[in-house]
Amino acid sequence: MKKIGILGATGYTGEELLRYLSRHSEIELVFATSEHDAGKALRDLYPWLGRFRDSHLITGEQALNVTVDLVFLCLPHGESARWGEKFLTRGVKVVDLGADFRFSDAAHYQQWYHQPHPCPGFLAETVYGLCEWYRDEIRGRRVVGNPGCYPTATLLAALPFLAAGVVAEGPIVVDAKSGVSGAGKSPTRTTHYVEVNEGISAYKVGRSHRHVGEMEQELSRRRGAPQSLVFTPHLTPMSRGILAAVYLPLREDLSGDDLQGILQTRYAGERFVRILETEQPSTRWTAHSNLCLLHAERISGVPMALVTSAIDNLGKGAAGQAIQNMNLMLGFSEEAGLL
Ligand SMILES: NC(=O)c1ccc[n+]([C@@H]2O[C@H](COP(=O)([O-])OP(=O)(O)OC[C@H]3O[C@@H](n4cnc5c(N)ncnc54)[C@H](OP(=O)(O)O)[C@@H]3O)[C@@H](O)[C@H]2O)c1
């Protein structure tokens, strides 16, 4: 049994981690933290919880005194790195669900998060935790930056085509829709019920959303040259789920079958990425799971492919993928706790 801790167990990703970890037979939860709700029992916040229900939330400072093998950071960016550094220097492995360990370069982080990186010394060690693309690098690693939710949906759709060398020069265009849990538990003027219910609107369009930084990092790595992105995220009146429509300019005259074949070949044998042959992916089919559903087709009359991608932002886009990363880092079966 490995000892696991969660920092930020009262947020949406922390809650989802508790759900997955409670089904994982090879771990024990040694702490879950909250600064505001320390002292409360988990059963008071999460009455549905079976295992761990009698554990009590503690503060981050108290957690530093607990013996633990791996911690999940479910904290705002900046806070993640601050706490991550404390645990890393104590020899504890870290999976950060926030953005602080997703970049290999501190200047790139500062460009997108508008603050200096709090512990740049660890960035050389971190790996981008997109398991289907970095599995070998993640195994045995002590710090992993779990990808963002929009980036997970987008990159799983786009990377196979860049790797196959069929994407023409020019920006990749992504139109994505997210459920409101993507914005975290605290409502804001633009995310509370009345603003979001029965409507849909775009926000941070073009290249202004901070997820563009990590997406361009990974798209460019795969192309082997700078790859730009035009990204239009939308907030939709649903609790969870992301649907991304990824438009790729094509270098060659490929058919829909060719495009589907590229996805089938790249993800053959993957347990959590499925290629739909005829249906368009729906977020409903991914809810509460670690699945990514993909479909590719050729757009008639123009040299472009449209790849659609659906995930649960709290599943494959956060906690599910974080468990997959933990499994690789600790040498468990990659599927443990996720089926
Ligand atoms: N929501 C998603 O779909 C999603 C997907 C992928 C990645 N992420 C990333 O995952 C991280 C967590 O997201 P979330 O949606 O779970 O956020 P959330 O619902 O807003 O929860 C934030 C958590 O962080 C704790 N916290 C806040 N400020 C803190 C501070 N200064 N010091 C220590 N703890 C603090 C809160 O605890 P208390 O208030 O109880 O103290 C709470 O448990 C973020 O970096 C987010 O960008 C989120």
Side-chain angles (χ1 to χ4, degrees), residues 24 63 70 91-92 127 183 201-202 228 267 275 290 299 306 328 336:
H24 199 299
L70 180 145
V92 177
V127 59
S201 56
S228 60
Y267 292 122
I275 318 308
N290 192 45
I299 301 175
L306 167 59
L328 288 166

Side-chain angles (χ1 to χ4, degrees), residues 8 10-13 34-36 74-75 79 97-98 181-182 184-185 313 317:
T10 53
Y12 282 146
T13 60
S34 165
E35 302 308 309
H36 289 109
C74 303
L75 305 173
E79 286 303 320
L97 283 81
S181 61
K185 206 162 195 169
N313 56 296

